Amino acid sequence: MTKSPATVIALCLSAGLLAGTAVAQNAQSRADQLVRYRQSMYNVLGANFGPMANVVQGKAPYDAREFAMRAERVAFIAAMLPEGFVAGSESGKPTAARPEIWRDRAEFDRLLKDMQSKVGALSDTAQGAKSVADVKTAFVAAGQACKNCHDKFKRD
Amino acid sequence: MTKSPATVIALCLSAGLLAGTAVAQNAQSRADQLVRYRQSMYNVLGANFGPMANVVQGKAPYDAREFAMRAERVAFIAAMLPEGFVAGSESGKPTAARPEIWRDRAEFDRLLKDMQSKVGALSDTAQGAKSVADVKTAFVAAGQACKNCHDKFKRD
């Protein structure tokens, strides 16, 4: 039996398909969802950054296609990150994000933009790379850019 | 003081920058990380699918650029999802993924591929769309494809 569009959408909602944003019941759960969204983005980013670090450290073999794919993913997610720091996302479930992010937003935005630039460059470099030597400098610059922001704005 | 590449990478690791994969200490924490990675991907996907559902339902205004951006993100993340179901990811922290995923992998893969196809089509459609009427059919098809897989392979 074919279901109407409205029915399909309602079923999606009731199935919890839209966990994350659409069905916030109150301000607290909305804040929790924003923090969870941010943490999820960073988790996906880190899960792709990690294997690249292993390669650069010589702990895993270099596979040009996989390295480029992970670099592209990191760059794609990095571009989404500002949405993880919108108004309302400073509280909610436990977070490693320091309140200074929202108090010194210009500096935070500067470091975030620098990171986006460096991971973008890493992705560009990785596309044409043939060995780990080709990507090492760009990878280290990206890692340093991550660290610069964490040192200032992320709790240990 | 300029730090060596090895130092930078070590610092990234110690800063927990690579949460998600690189520093698994044992099989259990590895399984937890795999489940967390999968849940994070779905959370990011859902956080972008939700606002599109609001638009299609008339609960939020249609913004062509934002809708296309969210559709592109969903398609991008959907392409990553197979990595959330690798060997070892069937156990670990509490998960809504049914064990049938790993017992009937051909059917799961078929439904996942169908979803990737539908969200890819939604993203393509959204790029040139000018009104919610232009994207509604593709959105509903994508939502139905999500639901088809959840009905069979996701716990309530």
Side-chain angles (χ1 to χ4, degrees):
Chain A
M1 194 176 68
T2 306
K3 293 187 177 68
S4 73
T7 306
V8 169
I9 295 168
L11 286 168
C12 292
L13 285 160
S14 68
L17 213 159
L18 306 180
T21 54
V23 286
Q25 297 302 315
N26 56 46
Q28 184 55 42
S29 73
R30 168 79 180 155
D32 286 350
Q33 288 178 344
L34 290 172
V35 173
R36 191 173 300 116
Y37 181 31
R38 175 170 71 231
Q39 291 174 343
S40 292
M41 288 194 279
Y42 274 102
N43 191 270
V44 174
L45 194 156
N48 285 280
F49 198 79
M52 289 194 285
N54 285 340
V55 169
V56 173
Q57 290 177 299
K59 293 179 184 171
Y62 173 75
D63 177 305
R65 193 171 151 181
E66 185 188 339
F67 197 98
M69 178 189 78
R70 296 205 183 280
E72 185 191 7
R73 289 176 177 178
V74 167
F76 191 93
I77 301 288
M80 297 171 58
L81 285 177
E83 202 168 75
F85 297 93
V86 294
S89 66
E90 64 273 31
S91 60
K93 68 196 284 290
T95 172
R98 288 187 185 277
E100 284 77 5
I101 291 168
W102 293 271
R103 290 207 293 259
D104 188 4
R105 191 56 185 254
E107 174 66 358
F108 175 76
D109 287 345
R110 188 183 72 77
L111 292 176
L112 182 55
K113 274 193 169 58
D114 181 58
M115 186 276 274
Q116 291 170 327
S117 162
K118 297 299 197 300
V119 298
L122 172 61
S123 180
D124 291 346
T125 300
Q127 302 308 315
K130 291 192 167 55
S131 77
V132 69
D134 293 342
V135 294
K136 194 163 189 168
T137 303
F139 179 83
V140 170
Q144 183 67 58
C146 294
K147 187 179 176 309
N148 289 344
C149 196
H150 287 200
D151 284 351
K152 222 167 204 170
F153 293 113
K154 182 172 183 271
R155 286 198 188 86
D156 288 335
Chain B
M1 195 174 71
T2 305
K3 293 187 177 67
S4 74
T7 307
V8 169
I9 295 168
L11 285 168
C12 291
L13 284 161
S14 68
L17 213 160
L18 306 179
T21 54
V23 288
Q25 296 302 316
N26 56 45
Q28 184 56 42
S29 73
R30 169 81 181 151
D32 287 350
Q33 288 178 343
L34 289 172
V35 173
R36 192 172 299 116
Y37 181 30
R38 175 170 70 231
Q39 292 174 343
S40 293
M41 288 193 280
Y42 275 103
N43 190 271
V44 174
L45 194 157
N48 283 280
F49 198 79
M52 288 193 287
N54 285 340
V55 170
V56 173
Q57 291 176 299
K59 293 179 184 170
Y62 173 75
D63 177 306
R65 193 172 151 180
E66 184 189 337
F67 198 97
M69 177 191 78
R70 296 207 181 279
E72 185 192 7
R73 289 175 176 178
V74 167
F76 190 94
I77 300 288
M80 298 172 57
L81 285 177
E83 202 169 75
F85 298 93
V86 295
S89 66
E90 63 274 32
S91 60
K93 67 197 284 290
T95 171
R98 289 187 184 278
E100 284 77 5
I101 291 169
W102 293 271
R103 290 207 293 259
D104 190 3
R105 191 56 185 252
E107 174 66 359
F108 175 76
D109 287 346
R110 187 183 73 77
L111 292 176
L112 183 54
K113 275 194 169 58
D114 180 60
M115 185 276 274
Q116 291 171 327
S117 162
K118 297 299 197 301
V119 299
L122 173 61
S123 180
D124 291 346
T125 300
Q127 301 309 314
K130 292 192 168 55
S131 77
V132 69
D134 293 341
V135 295
K136 193 162 189 169
T137 303
F139 179 83
V140 170
Q144 182 67 58
C146 295
K147 186 179 177 310
N148 290 343
C149 196
H150 288 199
D151 284 350
K152 222 168 205 167
F153 293 112
K154 182 171 183 272
R155 286 197 188 86
D156 289 336

